[in-house]
Amino acid sequence: MEPVISVMLQILRQCYPVSPLPLVTPSSAYAFSVPGSFTPEPPCALSEEDFEDDGDEEVDKDLDSEDVKEEYDDLETDVDKLSSKPGLDRPEEELMQYEAMCLELSYSFEELESKFGDDANFEDSQDTNHHHIPTAASPKQHCLKKDQTSWGQEKEDTVQTSLLSMVKMGRSSKKRPIKNIYHDVQSNCLGIDSLGNDVPDIQTSPKEDGWDIEAISCPRMSASFSNSTSPREAGEAIDKLLHLHPKHIPFHDPCLYMDKARRTRSVVDFKMVAFPDLWGHCPPPSAQSMLERKCGVQRIKIFEDVRRFIQPNDIINKVIFSLDEPWPLQDTASSCLRFFSKFESGNLRKAIQVREFEYDLLINADVNSCQHQQWFYFKVSGMRANIPYRFNIINCEKPNSQFNYGMQPTLYSVKEALLGRPSWIRTGNEICYYKNHYRQRAAATGSGKCYYTLTFVVTFPHDEDVCYLAYHYPYTYSALMTHLDILEKSINPRQVYFRQEVLCHTLGGNPCPLVTITAMPESSSTDHLEQFRHRPYQVITARVHPGESNASWVMKGTLEFLVSNDPVARLLRENFIFKIIPMLNPDGVINGNHRCSLRGEDLNRQWLSPQAHLQPTIYHAKGFLHYLCSIGRSPVVSYFVSTFV
């Protein structure tokens, strides 16, 4: 029966009526006015005549029986324009502005001996959390042992406060002034209070029935982490929860993260922070294998889509979340799931309840664009435990995806985090990725553009939890800026030369960091300074495509390794000067883009002729490389961290 079923499936797919996406416009819900550029036109409603019937298209083979040829948009198609040695695209005198970014070549180390010579125990007094790079195989080493601490103070009684009293948000305590006790805890969140006492384990606290999860799962940036005596309820609960935080998250500080998030500029001026980004997360206890895909799962999903059309009686088709609507659509008293995505790196434009436990989701196009829908990151709440919920992301663009070959979405549970297990995990089953019946209007692209569905089923671990789902482990711009500050404070300045500065500011007004890492000269002698200043340069960049968040995790590990006490890291520092631009597209990362900048263009296609006022990060990164060449210090390697999912 296999040949008959396959032919029948293709006939059904061809007969399914082509439909427009259920959106007011294919353009992004967010618009940014670029200085000196065009002003985006207001959205226009779609009509049936905007779509063409592409009934003559090639038969779409079922992926279960035949692999689909992948189209790689990243392959260079303009190789004829490339030259082995591109010419200088700006006046040579302009390159001198980058001299300030190479202070290590002129820095005076005359006070090197006097600065550190009197402190024989300098290394012992430093934060040691950078000496070991944490891995999934060694979770026990994330925390410092008691005998490694240098608090030197007598123990007092441990704070005897239950988690329930910390998280419960009763009306009676709303106006009660409460001291901000987080400031009594060391800022590195080691699970040890200022007196050297272990913080009580959250898992020994009462049941979570009284937790007001919604109040703390997406706190406002205005929630006070200062010494204010009457902070907002959500901020008050977070402050107290941080005091009882039982896990050491390496190189993470929630208070510092909140401060960085407040300074981050977004197109829509986000007011909330996502709980996983604020709270932090530990690596999973073990490596997760790829999901084995069951044969025929795509066929089943396509049949279910067809059944919507021929048996519409059980179809709810209710919009419960939309960025295009000025009023809230979700009824907190209803039994349907609740969605939210207006936080840094978040991307969910619309949610439609199809059946009781099935939802169609549409992700937002890149800012000032009508395409590149692939990255997603959103909050979902109001679920019931042990119920399989099906999610269909129906406006993906890539012709194929790693979701067809074992990749799974990532999930973060707030309740699990409060129980002492703050981790992103791979989740979902019945996962497949296939072409659907939605088409974009021909007027926008010149042809009927196809869309693809990513479908997966999730069974949530807790009732009335708040969970976050993402395309891949998120890594925000605020997380990067937090990490750099903590990293700088964790190094031993006698051994590591570490400097962070601003390469330029983005179109959205955010600083693009440039980091320098090398070894300090052994002394201020002429020979040692000569060796220091003649070390070859290595240039490393990452995250030009916002949706490739795994590149930021690679960069995070690279930074932590380069400043560590590992013998290989020491050898690298002693022989090279590393110039690192860890995020080339901060605006895209902040606003939840998959591929583009705020101009709606792929910055990785702008290297030939970038402009300072339109592609500032590319322009100045290229200018900096030109400067190094002009002074005879061409990088030995210019490495671009790019990983695809």
Side-chain angles (χ1 to χ4, degrees), residues 1 11 66 128 164 212 231 235 286 293 325 336 385 436 448 469 495 534 552 621 627:
M1 295 295 293
I11 293 174
E66 181 176 336
T128 58
L164 187 61
D212 188 351
S286 60
R293 178 177 167 183
E325 303 294 340
C336 66
N436 57 37
L469 287 165
Q495 298 179 354
H534 282 83
S552 281
Y627 170 74

Side-chain angles (χ1 to χ4, degrees), residues 304-374:
E304 290 178 359
D305 288 347
V306 172
R307 190 166 68 87
R308 291 195 201 183
F309 183 70
I310 61 177
Q311 296 178 348
N313 295 334
D314 63 339
I315 302 302
I316 300 173
N317 204 33
K318 176 185 177 183
V319 178
I320 56 175
F321 173 79
S322 176
L323 295 180
D324 300 309
E325 303 294 340
W327 57 87
L329 298 170
Q330 304 187 72
D331 181 6
T332 56
S334 68
S335 60
C336 66
L337 296 178
R338 299 183 292 275
F339 295 86
F340 187 74
S341 66
K342 296 184 74 172
F343 48 78
E344 188 174 346
S345 292
N347 189 342
L348 177 66
R349 181 170 182 173
K350 194 171 188 177
I352 303 170
Q353 186 179 20
V354 179
R355 298 184 179 95
E356 184 178 5
F357 303 116
E358 182 178 358
Y359 296 83
D360 279 355
L361 308 178
L362 294 102
I363 47 185
N364 196 23
D366 286 3
V367 176
N368 280 0
S369 171
C370 61
Q371 54 186 345
H372 303 302
Q373 296 97 199
Q374 208 72 25

Side-chain angles (χ1 to χ4, degrees), residues 395-512:
N395 65 332
C396 299
E397 282 197 326
K398 291 172 63 176
N400 207 343
S401 170
Q402 291 300 313
F403 285 113
N404 271 331
Y405 306 101
M407 181 169 143
Q408 296 173 277
T410 58
L411 178 141
Y412 186 104
S413 164
V414 172
K415 281 193 175 182
E416 283 292 299
L418 296 179
L419 289 169
R421 298 181 289 273
S423 297
W424 282 97
I425 62 170
R426 292 287 180 182
T427 191
N429 53 71
E430 299 181 28
I431 300 174
C432 64
Y433 187 97
Y434 59 92
K435 184 190 292 186
N436 57 37
H437 61 281
Y438 294 107
R439 301 290 181 270
Q440 189 182 86
R441 58 173 179 168
T445 60
S447 62
K449 176 182 176 181
C450 302
Y451 287 101
Y452 297 80
T453 292
L454 164 63
T455 181
F456 55 93
V457 173
V458 175
T459 302
F460 296 101
H462 301 283
D463 281 324
E464 295 299 325
D465 195 1
V466 174
C467 293
Y468 288 79
L469 287 165
Y471 181 76
H472 190 71
Y473 304 106
Y475 192 94
T476 64
Y477 170 77
S478 296
L480 168 66
M481 302 306 285
T482 302
H483 183 242
L484 292 180
D485 275 12
I486 296 176
L487 202 64
E488 184 173 14
K489 294 175 182 177
S490 74
I491 63 149
N492 183 345
R494 294 183 63 185
Q495 298 179 354
V496 182
Y497 180 94
F498 184 102
R499 190 176 77 253
Q500 60 168 316
E501 52 200 319
V502 177
L503 174 70
C504 64
H505 280 76
T506 66
L507 291 178
N510 295 290
C512 178

Side-chain angles (χ1 to χ4, degrees), residues 123-129 131-132 140-152 190 192 248:
E123 293 184 25
D124 296 334
S125 66
Q126 292 299 298
D127 188 320
T128 58
N129 67 357
H131 288 204
H132 170 72
K140 293 183 179 180
Q141 298 188 49
H142 289 171
C143 300
L144 296 180
K145 297 179 181 178
K146 288 184 180 180
D147 58 4
Q148 291 177 308
T149 61
S150 57
W151 310 113
L190 296 178
I192 303 171
H248 166 42

